[in-house]
Amino acid sequence: MKLLKIVLSACFSILLLSNCSDKFLDIYPVDRKTEATFFKTQEEVYQTLVGCYQGMNRWLNNGGNWVYPIVSDIMSDDAAGGAGKSDYLLPQALDRFDLGIAPAEANIYSAMWADAFTTINRCNTFLKKIDEFPWDDNSAYAMGKYMSKAASEGEVRFIRAYIYFCSMQMWGHLPLITETTEDAGLEAQSDPKLIYELIVNDLKKAIGLLQPSFPGDAGGRVTKYAAEGLLARVYLFYTGYYGKTQAELPRVNKAELLTYMNGVITESEVKGYLNDIIQNADHDLVDDYISLWPAGAAAAGIGYAGEYNKEVIFAIKHGYVNGTSMNWVSDMGARGYIMPPYGRGWGFDIGNKYLWDSWDPNDPRRDASLMNVNEEHNLFNDADPYDDAEAGRDVREYQSLFLKKYLRETDGNGNEVYGSYVGNPSSMSSYTDYIVIRYADVLLMAAELGIDAQANFDKVYHRAYGSSAPAKPATLENIMEERHHEFVGEAIRYWDLLRMGLEHAADAIKIDAPGIPVVNGALIYGSTNIVIKREQVMATYGLSQIPEQQISLSNGKLVQNEGWSK
């Protein structure tokens, strides 16, 4: 947690922006150090590197309810929007891909958009200044910073690529910004192929620069294997979304994009990167799947594998430092009702019951991924069953099901537990790391690309069912089914659907009338049941709303995504 503590306690910010209040990213005080006066000492260079990590952390946490992990779940077929029964209908608008349900919500993703480009701007500044500093790698390591010129450049390129990739998944049409700018909002959207070219080239360069590992007290740093795994995910997404979607996508020529990108990276190169992880990285599957997440491990009566377990290739770190934490997990629990070892929450991003009902009960990942109020019991008091009516009292579209992996852990008194820290039950945050890439993902991506497909598929399949389970062929259909069950609640499912083609995603997400009966359902489309129209998913092309505020500030440079006009 050493790096994390420095990240979250760092008191600097590079002033990349002007002091005009209506500027696109003008969010920092003007009395902070500027680019011109910073980057003069080794300590300042390190703080600048830390600032890039901190920007990524802020991007993950600053947007309240509407951050990448939450909306990735809500848009998938695994989760409903939830919220309180008297709350606004924005979660339902996202779940249905229909802003007409909440027409006043014109700036859903303002914080996530701004934080993305703030982080990109920080990375651009670091890369701009990197050759100007007289590096002393030996001294940096002696200081305990574990910082070299090559590795630092690789870390920053990874962060820029990761933020740009997640943003491309969300919005599809972005400005391409590789230089420090005062106002990214005045940059026009670029051809998507040029953004993907930047992402891929950043990751390829990072792979050549990064270390295979860092010392144990530098947890959370980006490694070579993290960059290789992310590059495979990027490749599979854009080749799938643009390659398998039958509909014409607005403002992009799919065939041209794929042809162009074939000159940037090949499938053979991607296979080589995945092979490198499998053959050379010190990563493997943990024995007990549920041990990857603390609350679920506690409920199962097994030990938590810990933040630094062998399966995690990259995670965005969090820790109890100066009151900071991972805020978005507060969306996942029951409102006002604590079910030890699970903490309460706001009831956004809740499970769809049909996922539980359709899942093989012999697959232990079901109980590890989903908290069914009627199936579990109070870990600390067997005689005190959970109260389904109380758990769903103020949760819209309640179906007795919560996504479990990131539920907050509590002790027998309902106090939150963060390792050695026990907090107040009124706290609505968590200090569990957000896992971005696990080794299981690498194995299944390798199987999908035909790399020892059956053997790599079987490692994940047999971890779940045991080595004596009936054989299951590593077909694409079975691999995608395995990915579904392996990654429920990890912000992967929606993007897996979309990369099978827009039409495939729309078919999986739609819920035809009469819909799913729920508790506290809002009246939408003439029913309090959940109904999701296929045509609404198609109308948005699977992309999300660009904040209208940013479109207004761009002086006509930014164009709203189809299906999301106010």
Side-chain angles (χ1 to χ4, degrees), residues 230-250:
L230 181 59
L231 182 49
R233 184 180 290 177
V234 170
Y235 176 82
L236 286 171
F237 180 78
Y238 76 73
T239 56
Y241 177 61
Y242 296 103
K244 296 179 181 178
T245 296
Q246 299 301 307
E248 291 300 318
L249 298 176

Side-chain angles (χ1 to χ4, degrees), residues 180-223:
T180 304
T181 176
E182 288 189 351
D183 196 346
L186 294 180
E187 302 289 338
Q189 289 152 309
S190 296
D191 190 320
K193 68 175 182 285
L194 300 181
I195 308 268
Y196 277 109
E197 180 182 30
L198 175 74
I199 293 167
V200 169
N201 282 336
D202 265 352
L203 291 171
K204 289 174 73 173
K205 290 176 183 176
I207 290 165
L209 295 167
L210 283 164
Q211 303 171 187
S213 64
F214 279 90
D217 62 346
R221 300 285 284 273
V222 177
T223 68

Side-chain angles (χ1 to χ4, degrees), residues 277-278 281-287 292 309-313 438-440 443 459 463:
I277 300 172
I278 293 169
D282 189 23
H283 289 290
D284 203 348
L285 301 177
V286 300
D287 294 334
L292 287 163
N309 68 76
K310 61 186 177 180
E311 186 160 343
V312 175
I313 295 176
R438 292 197 279 118
Y439 188 65
L443 292 173
K459 290 176 185 176
R463 197 250 303 259

Side-chain angles (χ1 to χ4, degrees), residues 14 16-17 24-25 27-28 48-62 111-127 155-164 167 177 180 184:
I14 303 171
L16 304 176
L17 316 167
F24 170 69
L25 293 176
I27 59 175
Y28 294 118
T48 313
L49 172 63
V50 167
C52 296
Y53 277 94
Q54 192 271 346
M56 178 171 58
N57 187 293
R58 180 181 173 89
W59 164 84
L60 180 67
N61 285 291
N62 189 47
M112 197 201 315
W113 177 281
D115 289 333
F117 282 100
T118 296
T119 305
I120 289 167
N121 235 13
R122 289 185 182 186
C123 293
N124 290 342
T125 297
F126 188 95
L127 296 173
E155 291 171 84
V156 171
R157 288 190 181 278
F158 174 96
I159 293 169
R160 182 170 71 173
Y162 175 65
I163 296 297
Y164 248 132
S167 300
I177 300 171
T180 304

